[in-house]
Amino acid sequence: MLNKGAKLVGQTLSYENKIILAPMVRIGTLPSRLLALKYGVDIVYTEELVDFRIIKSIRMENDVLKTVDFVDPTDGSVVFRTCDAEKSKLVLQMGTACPARALKVAKMVERDVAAIDINMGCPKEFSIKGGMGAALLSDQERAKNILKTLIDNVSVPVTCKVRIFPKIEDTIKLVKEFEALGIAAIAIHGRTRDERPQHPVHPDAIRAVAQELSIPVIANGGSREINQHNDILKFRENCGASSVMIARAAEWNPSIFRKDGMLPLDEVITEYLRLSVDYDNSPSNTKYCVQNMLRELQETPRGRIFLDSQTLEQICQIWDLGEYCRQKQLEYLHKGMFTRRDSGAMFPEGPDVKKIKLDPDILEKNVAFVRANYKEAHMLPKSILHLYADKNDHKLPTYETFGEEKLFRSIITFRGHRYSSSFWEKNKKFAEQGAALVCLLDLGLVDEKALIENGSILQ
């Protein structure tokens, strides 16, 4: 008789004979997942998403990008973005230490993913201190409670990813208990909690586990010996596993998944950047992913130009996609979606706007201060406004700045009038610059069309 997890796998996502993109911190965002699927991977995992972040997010259907976005309402940052192209192959990996929170997250995302995985393998201090990741291997009753709660209450398969114990018997005992709960599959990272990528992986341990289980076993940890597609299959065979999960080798060059051979790195980066533009990926995340592809090439002249870049358009320009990026972002802007032209996320409403009652005499506009648009200090909005005041014998403007949940807005008073941007900024200085920009716009000292084109005005 099939257990619940096995039955669900038969109906939806199969873990047999698959090549899988592993969950990778800051790497496993939508553009990386879609690129891996294009190159031939069978299943993609999100980066580990901590339960608290998902719980406080709001699910939104993005009509411009045709995506589903889970958005943090405090700053507008996208916690998790997905689309139909990956839905049937997407596993959300969750970082959690609480069955109730895990279930709440699972119910929020189950209609948008093909399966849910619980991270029990991450050895990093952040996860351990929070009782997540590899800490769950030392709190096995809690780990089993989390899995059982999900298996009994969600409509998609539930899996987990673990590390091995120093004694293989301990690993086998625990994973057999997980299997009995009804998990659909289990990923085994072939290193202990204290071992790191520089330590050799233990395929014999994965093989020993696979021989004891009837559910699919996914081998993980072999990137040190994977240089081409055939090496992926060799690692899976060496581990005796049903499937194989690749992390760092895919981080360095996602075309490792191509059966016809890997592509030149510039071609891969160009395809990745195009997806990042198409799905409005944040500049900081895009830059991080490209850095991991470039590795030692960051020290070349072009690499140093790349390291100095701040905006998505600046990054794209290096690979001759600057104009494509600019036009696509203007397209999104004109469709009513504020894009990520700046390094930081901005959200026109911000945190608890009902708490802030602006006087009706304050001129408020949807104008944001995009730092990357200002190369020289004397060209900053406040500098221009102060120079204008000096030249025309006006009193200097005054600023009143207030904050909510680590975001800021400012009201500027100048010549008897008051101005404010509707955008919440990440620090007080940016909030003051945004308010000054509204004032300059009203005075006719800056060009509205230019502000629209550089992403400062949300229409």
Side-chain angles (χ1 to χ4, degrees):
M1 179 176 176
L2 291 172
N3 60 45
K4 182 177 179 181
K7 184 176 180 180
L8 281 169
V9 168
Q11 294 175 347
T12 54
L13 189 65
S14 169
Y15 288 91
E16 292 285 359
N17 195 32
K18 303 296 182 184
I19 297 176
I20 301 169
L21 177 69
M24 293 180 284
V25 175
R26 296 184 67 189
I27 299 290
T29 47
L30 181 58
S32 295
R33 300 194 303 264
L34 292 177
L35 188 59
L37 287 169
K38 177 179 180 178
Y39 289 149
V41 80
D42 299 303
I43 298 172
V44 290
Y45 278 55
T46 68
E47 60 181 329
E48 179 192 26
L49 297 171
V50 177
D51 53 11
F52 282 112
R53 285 209 74 198
I54 295 285
I55 286 171
K56 73 174 185 177
S57 69
I58 298 172
R59 183 185 185 275
M60 304 172 66
E61 294 188 9
N62 188 321
D63 293 334
V64 178
L65 297 180
K66 307 302 179 187
T67 59
V68 172
D69 299 345
F70 287 79
V71 178
D72 185 336
T74 62
D75 61 6
S77 61
V78 178
V79 178
F80 168 48
R81 170 170 284 164
T82 184
C83 65
D84 284 344
E86 66 171 359
K87 182 175 180 179
S88 64
K89 301 176 181 180
L90 176 64
V91 180
L92 182 140
Q93 188 185 72
M94 190 192 315
T96 186
C98 173
R101 286 201 305 271
L103 180 58
K104 188 170 183 178
V105 170
K107 299 306 289 184
M108 289 175 67
V109 304
E110 65 180 334
R111 57 179 159 160
D112 300 310
V113 301
I116 294 171
D117 182 82
I118 300 300
N119 183 356
M120 299 185 187
C122 181
K124 294 188 177 179
E125 185 178 9
F126 169 80
S127 286
I128 299 297
K129 283 187 174 180
M132 303 179 292
L136 288 173
L137 298 180
S138 301
D139 193 350
Q140 297 177 10
E141 289 306 312
R142 184 193 297 267
K144 288 186 283 187
N145 194 3
I146 291 170
L147 292 175
K148 182 64 173 171
T149 298
L150 296 184
I151 290 166
D152 287 348
N153 292 285
V154 299
S155 61
V156 294
V158 176
T159 64
C160 63
K161 182 173 182 283
V162 303
R163 285 184 170 242
I164 59 174
F165 291 104
K167 294 182 179 179
I168 193 58
E169 313 88 68
D170 295 334
T171 308
I172 292 172
K173 178 179 180 296
L174 180 60
V175 297
K176 286 182 73 70
E177 291 176 358
F178 289 169
E179 179 184 36
L181 295 174
I183 61 172
I186 188 164
I188 309 290
H189 185 115
R191 293 183 179 87
T192 67
R193 170 174 162 170
D194 295 328
E195 291 178 326
R196 295 295 179 266
Q198 64 268 27
H199 296 107
V201 69
H202 303 286
D204 54 328
I206 301 175
R207 178 180 291 274
V209 172
Q211 290 172 346
E212 295 291 333
L213 298 182
S214 59
I215 60 172
V217 170
I218 304 164
N220 177 233
S223 284
R224 277 181 48 160
E225 51 201 69
I226 294 175
N227 298 302
Q228 57 185 344
H229 186 272
N230 284 343
D231 294 335
I232 299 175
L233 306 180
K234 290 177 184 177
F235 179 68
R236 181 181 65 188
E237 182 179 354
N238 195 24
C239 294
S242 307
S243 295
V244 62
M245 176 182 280
I246 305 301
R248 285 178 301 125
E251 176 183 316
W252 299 330
N253 190 329
S255 68
I256 190 78
F257 297 118
R258 292 182 80 250
K259 293 180 180 178
D260 296 333
M262 294 171 65
L263 296 171
L265 193 59
D266 276 344
E267 184 174 338
V268 174
I269 292 174
T270 299
E271 291 195 76
Y272 170 75
L273 289 176
R274 192 176 291 272
L275 285 168
S276 294
V277 171
D278 290 345
Y279 288 96
D280 193 33
N281 201 46
S282 73
S284 58
N285 180 256
T286 301
K287 185 173 182 178
Y288 180 80
C289 292
V290 174
Q291 279 183 277
N292 281 275
M293 294 186 215
L294 288 175
R295 295 195 285 169
E296 67 277 2
L297 294 176
Q298 294 176 71
E299 299 304 318
T300 64
R302 185 174 67 164
R304 287 191 285 272
I305 294 173
F306 163 75
L307 290 176
D308 288 337
S309 62
Q310 291 184 324
T311 68
L312 193 56
E313 187 175 329
Q314 288 171 344
I315 297 169
C316 287
Q317 187 65 49
I318 299 169
W319 281 272
D320 299 323
L321 287 174
E323 184 61 20
Y324 177 79
C325 178
R326 180 175 177 276
Q327 292 302 322
K328 182 65 72 169
Q329 292 191 327
L330 287 175
E331 173 192 332
Y332 291 158
L333 188 66
H334 293 151
K335 288 180 178 180
M337 188 188 82
F338 190 82
T339 56
R340 296 175 176 272
R341 298 179 73 91
D342 188 21
S343 299
M346 288 176 286
F347 202 55
E349 293 186 355
D352 271 339
V353 292
K354 292 180 180 178
K355 291 182 180 178
I356 306 299
K357 298 291 186 180
L358 293 183
D359 293 336
D361 66 334
I362 295 176
L363 177 62
E364 182 182 31
K365 287 183 176 291
N366 293 333
V367 179
F369 174 66
V370 182
R371 180 63 182 88
N373 291 335
Y374 302 91
K375 306 302 181 186
E376 304 292 339
H378 70 277
M379 295 303 294
L380 292 170
K382 286 181 64 176
S383 300
I384 295 174
L385 184 58
H386 286 210
L387 181 62
Y388 172 82
D390 284 340
K391 284 186 175 181
N392 292 278
D393 295 324
H394 298 307
K395 290 183 179 180
L396 291 178
T398 59
Y399 299 85
E400 176 190 358
T401 304
F402 45 86
E404 287 285 340
E405 300 177 19
K406 299 182 180 179
L407 292 170
F408 301 89
R409 286 180 68 180
S410 186
I411 298 171
I412 186 174
T413 301
F414 183 61
R415 294 175 56 192
H417 298 285
R418 305 173 77 196
Y419 307 90
S420 180
S421 167
S422 63
F423 284 91
W424 291 81
E425 299 285 2
K426 56 190 176 184
N427 59 50
K428 292 181 180 180
K429 291 182 179 179
F430 281 19
E432 291 177 353
Q433 296 285 3
L437 199 51
V438 175
C439 180
L440 292 176
L441 189 63
D442 185 59
L443 294 171
L445 298 178
V446 294
D447 181 59
E448 183 172 4
K449 182 179 178 181
L451 292 180
I452 292 172
E453 291 186 349
N454 68 31
S456 295
I457 293 183
L458 174 62
Q459 295 181 305

